[in-house]
Amino acid sequence: MAISMTEAAANHVRRSLEGRGKGLGIRLGVRTTGCSGLAYVLEFVDEPGDEDQVFESHGERVIIDPKSLAYLDGTELDFVKEGLNEGFKFNNPNVRGECGCGESFNV
């Protein structure tokens, strides 16, 4: 099982942690919501939990709880700029469908 980040995503995480002044990395998880069932959750992590899995890409860490890992295995986290918009993009090979607004997905 593995999670990775592109260099662009790692650079954004690095800048965000530096701006925050602390943090071990970011947590990538899922929660039940939306019309398709699951949504991605991102938050800063200062200390991982006992059962968390820690993955490192380009010198930055992504922390994932075991429940979320089942839905996220193989995911690549990217950071993209499209016109005036920018944000994380989740390249998740487990996704079978997404809602029309792009807020949720199912596996």
Side-chain angles (χ1 to χ4, degrees):
M1 295 191 155
I3 306 295
S4 63
M5 283 190 282
T6 64
E7 190 171 350
N11 288 338
H12 183 75
V13 169
R14 185 176 304 112
R15 286 190 305 272
S16 296
L17 290 171
E18 288 171 356
R20 187 171 178 255
K22 65 178 181 175
L24 176 68
I26 60 166
R27 176 179 303 283
L28 173 58
V30 295
R31 63 181 163 89
T32 304
T33 189
C35 48
S36 288
L38 298 169
Y40 297 105
V41 177
L42 284 171
E43 60 189 12
F44 293 112
V45 175
D46 294 328
E47 190 170 320
D50 291 337
E51 295 186 15
D52 284 342
Q53 296 288 315
V54 180
F55 300 93
E56 190 169 322
S57 287
H58 303 284
E60 298 303 320
R61 293 179 193 92
V62 179
I63 296 97
I64 301 188
D65 65 275
K67 178 186 166 232
S68 295
L69 187 56
Y71 301 105
L72 300 171
D73 184 31
T75 297
E76 178 189 60
L77 184 60
D78 195 5
F79 190 78
V80 296
K81 294 182 181 185
E82 296 173 348
L84 297 175
N85 297 318
E86 64 181 20
F88 285 104
K89 180 178 178 185
F90 306 94
N91 300 314
N92 184 345
N94 305 300
V95 170
R96 297 293 171 245
E98 296 178 313
C99 66
C101 64
E103 292 294 319
S104 62
F105 67 96
N106 61 49
V107 293

